[in-house]
Amino acid sequence: METAEKKKIVLSAIQPTGTPTLGNYLGALKNWKDMSEGEYNCLYAVADLHSLTVRPEPADLRRRTLEMYAILLALGIDPEKNIVFIQSHVPQHAQLAWLLNCCTQFGEAARMTQFKDKSEKHPENVNVGLFTYPILMAADILLYQTDFVPIGADQKQHLELARDIAERFNTVYGNTFKIPEPFIGKVGASVMSLQDPVHKMSKSDPNPRAFISMLDDDNVIVKKIKSAVTDSEAVVKYAEGKDGINNLMGIYSCCTGKNFEEIEQEFEGKGYGDFKSAVAEAVVEELRPFKDEFNRLMNDKAYLTECAKAGAEKASHFAARTLSKAMKKTGLFQL
Ligand code: TYM
């Protein structure tokens, strides 16, 4: 990180709220891995503070945080060449979030569609953390003078808010934060539910057939894809109104690198059965090396803890620099 200071900086994070889905993988994690291979300086975090907004069982949160950390390494993200850390281990995130809270209008936060959706779905726990959640996310990003944020389409509005907050802070207090850009893949940015393909694939879907978990067994993946909702046309073609097939084509495209035209040609004159078998096989192959590595890493908790400690130390070094700059600019008395 020291020598490569001129490289562009990439940051992203994922909540440890359950095993990530194929949507998380194709929308975000696959890009994280690709971007981590030398062109950029990458920081990737397990956003454990964010997941407190849904009040997980403490023992589950602890277990899932380490599992999510292992998942990131199992993807092939090298923790020596990149900074892979757990958000709550770097206290500057919560500290900067307070400064940014004071730079965000109530109305701006109230417009976030994810806040509206989540508070409608869980009226029993509309806590203030859920409301200020995107401001903590802005802090995650702005602390590292981030250039690019690889995310799925559902996080775009939050990223726009982070940009607005950064611009406002820079205008009021003088240039402090880099204005980050989203990095959203062309295909895979919105992987949809297999059972209801107008809604995004989500790990909290009550119907397990609607999503593929990254750790599902091969035969489970095959079954879920074979039972995916399609249409009665039996033509593999990307078109309006064919949400189920469009979704499977997107998944197949991400896993094989083929574009939609090539896929249409490959399955010309063939039925959905053949197509679904090919999609299932491609997904199984894509996830297989990851699953083996995940199982290996979960047997080495000492190594995972060591990596998380080193990651937090490296991240804190950069985070402290930006936080101190921001505190100075706001007029907080410095010792
Ligand atoms: P989270 O944990 O919900 O999801 C992690 C990433 O997966 C993407 N994603 C999808 N992409 C395509 N299709 C889907 N069906 C799908 N479902 C999820 C998300 O867009 C995301 O990129 N607030 C964030 C975590 C966060 C963060 C950050 C992200 C905290 N701080 C700083 C970027 C930068 C979240 O809840 O993601």
Side-chain angles (χ1 to χ4, degrees), residues 13-15 23-24 27 50 133 137 140 151-152 154-155 188-189 191 201:
I14 184 165
Q15 295 193 67
N24 295 121
H50 276 101
Y133 168 117
M137 178 165 159
D140 299 340
I151 42 174
D154 63 320
Q155 294 296 323
V191 177
M201 183 180 282

Side-chain angles (χ1 to χ4, degrees), residues 82-156:
N82 303 278
I83 301 181
V84 189
F85 66 103
I86 295 168
Q87 184 189 32
S88 66
H89 295 172
V90 182
Q92 289 86 356
H93 289 246
Q95 288 175 281
L96 182 63
W98 179 255
L99 269 61
L100 302 182
N101 271 330
C102 301
C103 257
T104 308
Q105 296 304 301
F106 184 89
E108 281 179 306
R111 272 200 295 279
M112 295 296 108
T113 53
Q114 207 165 79
F115 169 69
K116 290 191 235 170
D117 290 350
K118 285 194 181 167
S119 37
E120 263 167 37
K121 262 193 205 150
H122 300 285
E124 73 294 348
N125 186 17
V126 185
N127 58 77
V128 176
L130 201 60
F131 187 68
T132 57
Y133 168 117
I135 306 169
L136 177 60
M137 178 165 159
D140 299 340
I141 298 167
L142 301 180
L143 265 182
Y144 300 97
Q145 306 294 347
T146 300
D147 293 282
F148 299 118
V149 186
I151 42 174
D154 63 320
Q155 294 296 323
K156 192 163 174 256

Side-chain angles (χ1 to χ4, degrees), residues 230-249:
T230 51
D231 53 67
S232 54
E233 229 178 48
V235 181
V236 179
K237 186 172 170 46
Y238 195 92
E240 207 174 313
K242 289 173 71 75
D243 300 311
I245 287 297
N246 295 347
N247 190 34
L248 292 178
M249 285 178 75

Side-chain angles (χ1 to χ4, degrees), residues 11-17 20-29 32 45-48 50 68 87 93 114 118 133-134 136-141 149-156 158-159 183 188-193 199-203:
L11 175 132
S12 201
I14 184 165
Q15 295 193 67
T17 40
T21 65
L22 189 65
N24 295 121
Y25 175 70
L26 298 178
L29 299 177
W32 294 19
V46 178
D48 56 346
H50 276 101
M68 187 59 84
Q87 184 189 32
H93 289 246
Q114 207 165 79
K118 285 194 181 167
Y133 168 117
L136 177 60
M137 178 165 159
D140 299 340
I141 298 167
V149 186
I151 42 174
D154 63 320
Q155 294 296 323
K156 192 163 174 256
H158 291 162
L159 200 273
F183 180 95
S190 293
V191 177
M192 309 311 272
S193 156
H199 290 115
K200 78 163 187 177
M201 183 180 282
S202 162
K203 53 195 160 203

